[in-house]
Amino acid sequence: QVQPAESGGDSVRAGGSLRLSCTATRSWEIIAPYRMAWFRQFPGKEREGVAAIDSNGFTNYADSVKGRFIISKDSALNFYLEMNSLKPEDSGVYYCALGGGTGSILVDNWYTDWGQGTKVSVSS
């Protein structure tokens, strides 16, 4: 099982910013097309899609983060989530995920490789 690794989770005040990073353990260019995404999970709730990007660079965002979060990639190994104007309701565990196929989909069963998660805490 290849597992990507997230980093960048931290505790910040509302209005602050964080940048999450994800490094894949295998290059998805080998099996392009591919998609990369960030999901998050709040205590007691189901995991939800936050942002996704595919190998063509097309992005997709959850309505709750549009205009505040930016997903980007610099290769088939590394991608990022820039989170700005953070709110307490953004707190949770953030997971990066990778999968084969086209489209920047925010549904978790389209992804096969999942990280362990990184915690984001936003205080008011």
Side-chain angles (χ1 to χ4, degrees):
Q1 178 70 28
V2 291
Q3 191 169 41
E6 307 99 337
S7 62
D10 205 343
S11 297
V12 297
R13 301 288 295 271
S17 298
L18 283 174
R19 187 180 193 233
L20 305 183
S21 300
C22 181
T23 299
T25 52
R26 57 177 171 173
S27 175
W28 282 80
E29 283 179 334
I30 297 174
I31 58 169
Y34 58 87
R35 55 177 71 94
M36 299 167 156
W38 291 94
F39 290 78
R40 65 186 180 188
Q41 189 166 23
F42 307 119
K45 295 195 175 182
E46 292 188 1
R47 189 166 53 194
E48 64 177 29
V50 176
I53 186 168
D54 69 9
S55 47
N56 293 314
F58 292 111
T59 58
N60 188 20
Y61 296 92
D63 288 342
S64 59
V65 305
K66 281 180 181 176
R68 299 189 298 123
F69 290 12
I70 299 171
I71 188 170
S72 62
K73 63 181 181 71
D74 62 13
S75 68
L77 282 173
N78 302 308
F79 65 110
Y80 311 93
L81 185 68
E82 187 78 30
M83 304 189 294
N84 301 305
S85 302
L86 282 162
K87 304 175 182 180
E89 52 264 42
D90 293 318
S91 299
V93 179
Y94 282 70
Y95 300 89
C96 67
L98 297 98
T102 57
S104 46
I105 298 172
L106 290 175
V107 178
D108 56 6
N109 59 7
W110 288 89
Y111 296 86
T112 56
D113 294 5
W114 290 84
Q116 296 266 25
T118 186
K119 188 173 181 180
V120 171
S121 180
V122 184
S123 60
S124 57

